[in-house]
Amino acid sequence: MAAGLRVGAVARNEAKLEALIKSKPSQNVRSYAADVSKAEDVARVFDSVERDLGEPDLVVFNAGAFQRGSILDIDPADFERCWRIGCFAGFLVGQAAAQRMVKRGHGTIIFTGATAALRGSAGFVNLAVPKFGLRALAQSMARELGPRGVHVAFTVIDGQVESEPYRHLVDERGPDSLLAPEAIAETYLQLHRQQRSAWSQEIDVRPWSEKF
Amino acid sequence: MAAGLRVGAVARNEAKLEALIKSKPSQNVRSYAADVSKAEDVARVFDSVERDLGEPDLVVFNAGAFQRGSILDIDPADFERCWRIGCFAGFLVGQAAAQRMVKRGHGTIIFTGATAALRGSAGFVNLAVPKFGLRALAQSMARELGPRGVHVAFTVIDGQVESEPYRHLVDERGPDSLLAPEAIAETYLQLHRQQRSAWSQEIDVRPWSEKF
Amino acid sequence: MAAGLRVGAVARNEAKLEALIKSKPSQNVRSYAADVSKAEDVARVFDSVERDLGEPDLVVFNAGAFQRGSILDIDPADFERCWRIGCFAGFLVGQAAAQRMVKRGHGTIIFTGATAALRGSAGFVNLAVPKFGLRALAQSMARELGPRGVHVAFTVIDGQVESEPYRHLVDERGPDSLLAPEAIAETYLQLHRQQRSAWSQEIDVRPWSEKF
Amino acid sequence: MAAGLRVGAVARNEAKLEALIKSKPSQNVRSYAADVSKAEDVARVFDSVERDLGEPDLVVFNAGAFQRGSILDIDPADFERCWRIGCFAGFLVGQAAAQRMVKRGHGTIIFTGATAALRGSAGFVNLAVPKFGLRALAQSMARELGPRGVHVAFTVIDGQVESEPYRHLVDERGPDSLLAPEAIAETYLQLHRQQRSAWSQEIDVRPWSEKF
C-alpha cells in the first residue's frame, strides 16, 4: 500500500530494523535506530528524517512493551518501563510531530492502541495503563490540534497481528483470523487521506472471526 | 466516489427522492419509494433492488427523525415515531440485509449514528433513544454476523452535514467546517472495502474545526 | 432496608403483585396493577399512589421483557414488544415522575439497566436495544432535570439477581454469587439519600465473584 | 461520617497534613508524611498504619498533580511528574493494599478519578494521562481481586470540590454547587459498606447544578 510513499522506520535496535526492512524489500524504507522513550533520540530522529525524506506528513506511533502479571507481583520497575515505552514515548513522539505539523498547518498523527486501551483486565495492568494513557493523549491532542489543521487519530487493534511466531494460529482459527499488517496499514493510510471535513478520531480493527 | 457502483436510494416520498437523484446527475442511482419502518415495504424494496441491480453488497441505513423537546413536554406519540423511524426501521432493514448476506457469506451493513448515540443531552431524548438503540443493534449484529462473513459497522457523525439549508454556516465557521457528503461516503466505501482480517465496527467522523 | 418507607409496587398482573408482596410480609407495601407501557395506566397509578401514599420522593423503573434470538429470526413484533416494555414504559414513567417532581423541586428517579445497556451481544438484540435506549433517556433526563432539583440515575445490574428459580446457582458458584435484592435496594436507597452537592448519575453493581 | 472510624491521613508535607487535621478536629485522624510515589515510603506508611491503627479495611488513593498546558509546550519532566504522582503512586499504594487485603480475604480500595479519566481535552494532557491510567489500574485490579474478596472501585469526581480557595464560587453558582467533601466521603463509605453480592466498580459524583 505504501507504494509511492517514502517511509522512515524507527526501532530500538539495528537487528530489529534490518529484519523489518528485509521483510518489505519492495518498499522504499529508510531505517533509524533510536530509543523513542528518550527526548534527545526523538529529536535526532525527526531531524534525520527531515534531512533524508523531508518533513513527515504522517507519523505513526506503534511502540509498546508488555509483561503480563498479577497486581500482587508486578515489579514497579516493570510497570514503569512498560509505561515509559508505551505512553511516555508516545508523548515525546506526538509532541515532536505536533510542533512541526502545526507550523505547516497540516499533517496526521496516529497512535496505535489495543483493546486494553478501553478495558483493564486481570493480568493486564502493564498493558492497560500505558494504552489508556496513550488514548488520553490522542484525545487531548486531537481536540487541541484539529482546529490547527493537524489530524490526530487513535486505533484500537483487537486481535493478534499476523507475524512469523503466530502464523500457526491460522491453522487453528481459519483464514484471515489474524490481522494482516497490510490491512491495518490500509486503514491507517485511509485515515491519513481523509478530507478534513470528515476526520475520524478513533477506529477499531479486528479479524472477522474474532470474538469481542 | 460511487463511480462504478450501482446505487439504489430509498426514501419515503417521491419528491425527496427526485431531489436526491437530481443532486447526483453523474451517478447511476435508481430510486425506490418506501416507508422503511414497515416490514412489508422493506421486503418489497429488497426484492426490487435485487431484480433491478442485483443482490446488494453494501446496505447503508441512514433514516432518522428528530423533534427537540423537554422531557416534560414530549408527546409520547413523537417519542415513538422518532424511534420507529430511527431504530425500528434500522432493525427491519438490518434484518432483511443480514438474512440475504448470510446466505452468500459476505456483505457490509452500515448504520449511521451521531454523537447522540454516545451521549444523552437535555432536549435530545427523541434523538438519543433511537440512536443508542441503533448502536446496540449494530454491536449485537456485528458480534453475531462477523463470524458468518458479514461486516456490520456503526458510524458516529459528529457535526452538521453540508446541505443547502446549512451552507451559510460555512461563512461563519470557515472552510470545510461542515461534513461533505462525499467525504462521509468515502469513509463508508473504505469500510466496505476493508479486508476481512481487519474490519472496523465503529468509527467517528467530524470536521477538523469541530469542538467535541 | 425500606423500613420506614411507604412503598407502592406496580406490576402487570395481580398474581405477580401478590407474590411480590407475600415475599416482603414485614414491609409496608401497597400494590397497583397496571401496564406501564400505556400512558393512561401510568397516569392512573401516579394518581392512586399520590392519594394512598403521598407524592413519591423516589420512583424506580424496573420493567423489562427479553426474548433471546438471532437477528436472522427475531420477530419484529417481539423486537417492538421488548422495547415497549423496557424503554417506552420507562419514558412514560420517567416523564410522569419528572412532571410531578419538577413542580416540587426535588425527587429521585432511578432506571434499572444491565450490562446489555453498555454492550450489544450476539443473541441479545431484544435486550440491548431497550436498555441502551433507557440509558439514553436517563442521561438526557439527568442533564435536563438536575439543575431543576431532580436526581436521575441509571444502574447497571451485572449478574443474576437472586430469586427462587435461580437459587440453585449458588451451589455451583458459591456464596453471595447472585445479587441479593436487599443489597441492590441498599444502593438505590443510598443514591436517593445522596446530598445534592454530590449526585451520582450511573453506577454498576455485580457479585464479587462475577466475571466481567 | 467517619465517626467511629480510625483514619490515617497521608500527605507529602507536614504543613499540609496539619492543615488537614486541624480542619477535622472532631475526628480521630492520625497523620503520616510520605511521598507515595516512592515504594519505600509506601511500605513504611503501611507498616506504621498497621502498628498504630491496625490493618486498614479501606484504602483511598487521592493523590494528584496537574499543570495545564498545550501539547506544544508541555515539559516532558512535568508530564512525567504528573503521572508519577497521579498514577504510579496509585499503583504502589494499590499494590501494597492488595497484598495485605488478599491475605485476609477482604478489604476495599478506592481510587479517586475525575472527568479527565473518561475524556482527554485540549490543555489537559497532564491530567488525562494519569487519570486514564489510574482507571485502567482500578479496572484491572477489580477484575483480578474481586474473586479474592477485595473490592476495588473507581470514582469519577466531576466538578470543583468545596475548599477555601473556591468558596467564592458558591456565590456565583448557587448553593451546593461545589462538591462537599463530606458528601463525597459518604459515597466512599457506602461503597465500602456494600455487601459483596452487589459491589460497584465505578461511580460518578457531581453537584446537582453541574453541566456535564
Side-chain angles (χ1 to χ4, degrees), chain A residues 11-22:
Chain A
R12 254 169 306 163
N13 64 65
E14 300 282 349
K16 214 171 159 184
L17 272 174
E18 270 174 44
L20 177 71
I21 289 165
K22 264 171 68 180

Side-chain angles (χ1 to χ4, degrees), chain C residues 15-207:
Chain C
K16 215 171 159 185
L17 272 174
E18 270 175 43
L20 178 72
I21 288 166
K22 264 172 67 180
S23 74
K24 313 275 175 201
S26 65
Q27 292 183 10
N28 186 8
V29 180
R30 191 125 183 186
S31 71
Y32 303 90
D35 177 348
V36 288
S37 68
K38 293 189 177 150
E40 59 277 16
D41 276 33
V42 170
R44 185 175 45 73
V45 162
F46 270 87
D47 289 345
S48 303
V49 166
E50 279 167 29
R51 188 195 56 217
D52 299 341
L53 304 167
E55 300 216 35
D57 291 315
L58 167 62
V59 168
V60 174
F61 179 78
N62 261 332
F66 170 49
Q67 195 153 347
R68 195 172 177 149
S70 160
I71 182 64
L72 302 173
D73 303 324
I74 293 170
D75 182 336
D78 272 333
F79 180 84
E80 179 169 341
R81 184 180 56 85
C82 290
W83 177 79
R84 198 165 289 284
I85 297 168
C87 183
F88 182 66
F91 164 78
L92 293 176
V93 170
Q95 183 175 61
Q99 287 165 341
R100 286 155 177 85
M101 290 177 178
V102 160
K103 275 187 203 148
R104 290 178 288 149
H106 64 90
T108 306
I109 305 170
I110 303 180
F111 294 97
T112 297
T115 312
L118 305 179
R119 178 187 157 81
S121 304
F124 285 81
V125 164
N126 280 352
L127 186 61
V129 170
K131 287 293 187 193
F132 269 63
L134 199 63
R135 186 170 178 244
L137 175 72
Q139 285 185 12
S140 303
M141 287 179 63
R143 291 191 165 97
E144 179 177 347
L145 301 178
R148 305 188 70 172
V150 177
H151 182 186
V152 182
F154 184 76
T155 60
V156 176
I157 309 290
D158 182 14
Q160 185 61 53
V161 178
E162 194 185 306
S163 61
E164 211 39 77
Y166 298 101
R167 211 149 284 162
H168 66 281
L169 287 175
V170 175
D171 297 333
E172 292 168 29
R173 301 187 188 174
D176 301 323
S177 55
L178 304 189
L179 288 142
E182 303 74 31
I184 299 176
E186 180 64 31
T187 286
Y188 279 48
L189 195 61
Q190 293 305 333
L191 285 173
H192 177 50
R193 288 181 176 160
Q194 284 183 322
Q195 297 174 35
R196 68 177 180 171
S197 89
W199 276 352
S200 299
Q201 208 282 303
E202 189 163 295
I203 186 168
D204 56 325
V205 286
R206 71 180 55 74

Side-chain angles (χ1 to χ4, degrees), chain D:
Chain D
M1 70 120 217
L5 296 183
R6 288 188 296 174
V7 177
V10 184
R12 252 170 307 163
N13 64 67
E14 301 280 351
K16 217 172 156 185
L17 273 174
E18 272 176 41
L20 177 72
I21 289 166
K22 265 173 66 181
S23 74
K24 314 275 175 200
S26 64
Q27 291 183 7
N28 185 9
V29 179
R30 191 123 182 188
S31 72
Y32 303 90
D35 178 347
V36 288
S37 68
K38 293 189 177 149
E40 58 277 16
D41 277 34
V42 170
R44 185 173 46 73
V45 162
F46 270 87
D47 288 344
S48 303
V49 167
E50 278 167 33
R51 190 194 55 217
D52 300 343
L53 304 168
E55 299 215 37
D57 291 316
L58 167 62
V59 168
V60 174
F61 179 78
N62 260 333
F66 171 49
Q67 196 153 346
R68 195 173 177 146
S70 161
I71 182 65
L72 301 172
D73 303 324
I74 293 170
D75 183 337
D78 271 335
F79 180 83
E80 180 171 339
R81 184 179 58 84
C82 290
W83 178 78
R84 200 165 286 284
I85 297 169
C87 183
F88 182 66
F91 165 77
L92 293 176
V93 169
Q95 184 175 60
Q99 288 166 340
R100 285 156 178 84
M101 290 175 178
V102 161
K103 275 187 203 149
R104 291 179 285 151
H106 63 89
T108 306
I109 304 170
I110 303 180
F111 295 97
T112 298
T115 312
L118 304 180
R119 180 188 155 81
S121 304
F124 284 81
V125 165
N126 281 352
L127 187 60
V129 170
K131 287 294 189 195
F132 269 63
L134 200 62
R135 186 169 178 247
L137 175 72
Q139 284 184 14
S140 303
M141 288 179 62
R143 292 190 165 98
E144 180 178 345
L145 301 178
R148 304 187 70 172
V150 177
H151 182 185
V152 182
F154 184 75
T155 61
V156 177
I157 310 289
D158 182 14
Q160 185 61 55
V161 178
E162 193 185 308
S163 61
E164 212 38 77
Y166 299 102
R167 210 148 285 159
H168 67 279
L169 287 175
V170 176
D171 298 333
E172 292 168 28
R173 301 187 188 173
D176 302 322
S177 55
L178 304 190
L179 287 141
E182 303 74 32
I184 299 175
E186 180 63 31
T187 286
Y188 279 48
L189 196 59
Q190 294 305 333
L191 284 173
H192 177 50
R193 289 181 175 159
Q194 283 181 324
Q195 298 174 37
R196 67 177 181 170
S197 90
W199 276 353
S200 299
Q201 208 284 304
E202 189 163 296
I203 186 168
D204 56 324
V205 286
R206 70 180 55 74
W208 65 300
S209 50
E210 187 80 12
K211 290 227 155 138
F212 70 107

Side-chain angles (χ1 to χ4, degrees), chain B residues 151-190:
Chain B
H151 183 185
V152 181
F154 185 75
T155 61
V156 177
I157 309 290
D158 182 15
Q160 186 60 55
V161 177
E162 195 186 306
S163 60
E164 212 38 78
Y166 298 101
R167 211 148 284 160
H168 66 279
L169 288 175
V170 176
D171 298 333
E172 292 168 28
R173 300 187 188 174
D176 302 322
S177 55
L178 305 189
L179 288 142
E182 303 74 31
I184 299 175
E186 180 63 31
T187 285
Y188 279 48
L189 195 60
Q190 293 305 332

